[in-house]
Amino acid sequence: QSALAQPRSVSKSPGQSVTISCTGTTSDVGAYTYISWYQHHPGKAPKLIIYDVTHRPSGVPDRFSGSKSGNTASLTISGLQAEDEADYYCCSYAGRYLGVFGGGTRLTVL
Amino acid sequence: QVQLVQSGTQVKKPGASFKVSCKTSGYIFPYHFVHWVRQAPGQGLEWMGVINPDDGSTTYPRKFQERVVMTADKSTTSVYMEVSRLTSDDTAVYYCARDLYSGWARHYLDSWGQGTLVTVSP
């Protein structure tokens, strides 16, 4: 599997919204609704913030939302805060218990 | 609460092998698949495979099929990953992580170990 395609970096100001895309193929993102997103602060373990395309684990603010259309999944963060600055990764099921991560997006909140 | 605690930092020579342990607690061990993910310096997350602790069955991506072996021990509720024939490209932080749903590997990794740094250097 090749890594899912994500923008390398995005920069936004506090209070703004940002959408991070995650593009795969008809064998992964396009074929399944088993899409998840992770927030990763350097030096810490990644944190699950979205699963099942749109669901948030308890404790994750509703500023985080997910969607999917065709072969592309998206993560939207509204009302950006300084603590949202992190790396974000999408992940998709790819059949037969296989999975694949996106290349990651560095979000900078200026 | 759910916890995954990994073994400590390792330094290995090229061509050698390493084995990392992941001690789990706070949930019913056989019910949840456990994945291994790594992050090389300056790189993104890379999925290395998954094990079903109930029956020990494993799935690895093609890239790791020849070099990675994952095992599970129900008596100690621990999962292990061994990587062989190391090169400098294997220098990375290695994580174990539990799948959210029981009985299936949907790749929703809801609880993670703290990570284990493995350095491969001559």
Side-chain angles (χ1 to χ4, degrees):
Chain A
Q1 278 78 20
S2 298
L4 307 175
Q6 296 183 233
R8 289 285 301 245
S9 63
V10 293
S11 296
K12 291 287 184 180
S13 299
Q16 288 188 319
S17 295
V18 65
T19 296
I20 298 171
S21 62
C22 168
T23 301
T25 69
T26 54
S27 297
D28 39 61
V29 177
Y32 304 98
T33 57
Y34 303 154
I35 307 296
S36 53
W37 288 89
Y38 301 85
Q39 179 188 64
H40 191 198
H41 288 106
K44 300 182 69 176
K47 175 185 176 183
L48 177 67
I49 56 172
I50 295 287
Y51 66 97
D52 273 348
V53 179
T54 61
H55 290 73
R56 280 175 285 106
S58 86
V60 174
D62 60 7
R63 301 186 294 105
F64 294 85
S65 62
S67 63
K68 191 191 94 158
S69 177
N71 295 341
T72 299
S74 298
L75 171 72
T76 297
I77 311 171
S78 59
L80 279 168
Q81 300 178 3
E83 59 262 35
D84 297 332
E85 185 163 294
D87 296 323
Y88 290 86
Y89 295 89
C90 60
C91 180
S92 175
Y93 181 70
R96 299 183 181 181
Y97 292 137
L98 294 167
V100 59
F101 279 101
T105 298
R106 171 68 54 90
L107 171 63
T108 301
V109 181
L110 300 166
Chain B
Q1 73 281 23
V2 175
Q3 281 193 307
L4 290 80
V5 179
Q6 299 179 222
S7 49
T9 298
Q10 299 187 40
V11 179
K12 296 292 181 181
K13 299 250 187 268
S17 301
F18 73 82
K19 190 171 186 177
V20 180
S21 66
C22 174
K23 166 69 176 171
T24 74
S25 60
Y27 69 97
I28 301 174
F29 180 70
Y31 283 14
H32 294 261
F33 286 58
V34 174
H35 303 253
W36 288 88
V37 176
R38 75 177 184 181
Q39 185 176 38
Q43 304 298 309
L45 300 178
E46 185 174 27
W47 183 74
M48 299 185 68
V50 63
I51 184 167
N52 178 352
D54 191 30
D55 63 8
S57 58
T58 53
T59 300
Y60 311 115
R62 192 174 302 120
K63 174 177 180 176
F64 294 114
Q65 276 179 357
E66 303 297 319
R67 297 198 300 128
V68 170
V69 176
M70 297 176 186
T71 55
D73 184 341
K74 289 182 184 179
S75 68
T76 60
T77 66
S78 294
V79 175
Y80 302 86
M81 180 180 69
E82 184 168 19
V83 182
S84 60
R85 303 199 303 274
L86 295 171
T87 72
S88 57
D89 289 343
D90 294 312
T91 294
V93 176
Y94 291 80
Y95 295 98
C96 60
R98 187 191 82 151
D99 207 296
L100 173 63
Y101 285 117
S102 61
W104 191 256
R106 294 191 185 184
H107 296 256
Y108 301 158
L109 309 184
D110 72 326
S111 297
W112 294 66
Q114 81 276 21
T116 297
L117 174 63
V118 177
T119 301
V120 182
S121 178

